[in-house]
């Protein structure tokens, strides 16, 4: 059993599961100051977390369906996917994010801002402004403001190069590069 007796706690995870009491019965009510995640992570139970730090470039952060996560600070970095998952699928080969149920993120005030994130089955509540910029609404979400870049046509210019180099893209055929 993992216990913290300090006013602030820091938990660093490099595993796939985060049980709120370490015994596997998914009891609730951890209060965490800073949560550092180094790989795909599923969070079980109802918890209060100040700040979540995502330290991996791809992957997911899953919250157990029908549970509430109270976020007092925010996400220091945005995960690629946030979704609810079904507890019953934890050890099976099924897609854990195929549930039609939701998990809830709540924040009483301020802003919760994510970038370049796919969000599925996550309700946002509590009075804060929940925004997902350049993000995708994968369905079954309530309370989020999704925004993306306006679509535009780009043209390859400037000879050979890498796909990711702005110097080879223009808004017009044969036009000025830098897009």
């Amino acid at each position: 059993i993992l216990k913290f007796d300090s006013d602030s706690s820091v938990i660093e995870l490099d595993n796939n599961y985060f049980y709120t009491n370490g015994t596997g019965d998914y009891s609730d009510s951890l209060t965490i100051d800073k949560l550092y995640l180094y790989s795909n992570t599923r969070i079980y139970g109802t918890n209060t977390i100040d700040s979540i730090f995502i330290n991996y470039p791809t992957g997911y952060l899953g919250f157990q369906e029908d549970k509430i996560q109270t976020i007092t600070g925010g996400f220091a970095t945005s995960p690629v996917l946030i979704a609810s998952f079904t507890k019953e699928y934890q050890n099976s080969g099924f897609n854990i994010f195929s549930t039609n149920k939701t998990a809830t993120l709540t924040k009483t005030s301020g802003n919760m801002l994510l970038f370049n994130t796919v969000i599925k089955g996550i309700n946002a509540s509590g009075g804060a402004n929940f925004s997902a910029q350049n993000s995708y609404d994968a369905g079954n979400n309530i309370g989020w403001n999704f925004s993306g870049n306006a679509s535009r046509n780009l043209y390859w210019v400037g000879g050979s190069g890498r796909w990711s180099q702005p110097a080879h893209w223009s808004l017009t055929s044969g036009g000025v590069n830098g897009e």
Side-chain angles (χ1 to χ4, degrees):
I1 295 176
L2 184 61
K3 292 185 178 183
F4 295 95
D5 295 321
S6 65
D7 290 336
S8 62
S9 59
V10 175
I11 296 178
E12 295 190 22
L13 297 175
D14 193 6
N15 203 337
N16 289 341
Y17 308 103
F18 172 36
Y19 302 102
T20 59
N21 72 354
T23 64
D25 66 1
Y26 318 108
S27 68
D28 298 336
S29 301
L30 264 186
T31 299
I32 302 166
D33 186 40
K34 293 177 179 62
L35 180 60
Y36 293 86
L37 306 175
Y38 294 95
S39 66
N40 294 333
T41 303
R42 299 179 214 168
I43 296 179
Y44 292 83
T46 296
N47 304 287
T48 300
I49 305 168
D50 179 67
S51 300
I52 299 176
F53 297 84
I54 308 295
N55 294 300
Y56 53 94
T58 61
Y60 67 80
L61 172 58
F63 296 107
Q64 184 181 355
E65 66 182 13
D66 299 326
K67 298 295 182 178
I68 298 170
Q69 308 302 319
T70 300
I71 309 296
T72 57
F75 286 87
T77 50
S78 298
V80 172
L81 168 68
I82 296 179
S84 63
F85 66 88
T86 303
K87 181 174 140 183
E88 289 76 26
Y89 292 146
Q90 68 183 3
N91 294 316
S92 71
F94 298 110
N95 179 355
I96 64 166
F97 301 115
S98 64
T99 180
N100 288 325
K101 293 189 177 184
T102 60
T104 300
L105 292 181
T106 185
K107 182 175 170 72
T108 57
S109 64
N111 295 305
M112 174 73 69
L113 181 59
L114 296 175
F115 297 94
N116 305 316
T117 303
V118 176
I119 301 174
K120 181 177 187 228
I122 302 294
N123 290 337
S125 69
N129 179 31
F130 287 81
S131 297
Q133 295 183 358
N134 298 326
S135 296
Y136 177 69
D137 181 353
N140 210 20
N141 299 301
I142 296 173
W144 288 92
N145 297 313
F146 287 90
S147 64
N149 289 334
S151 63
R152 57 190 183 152
N153 293 323
L154 293 175
Y155 299 86
W156 183 262
V157 295
S160 64
R162 292 191 178 135
W163 188 262
S164 61
Q165 294 174 314
H168 294 288
W169 295 103
S170 174
L171 292 174
T172 59
S173 179
V176 177
N177 64 355
E179 292 298 317

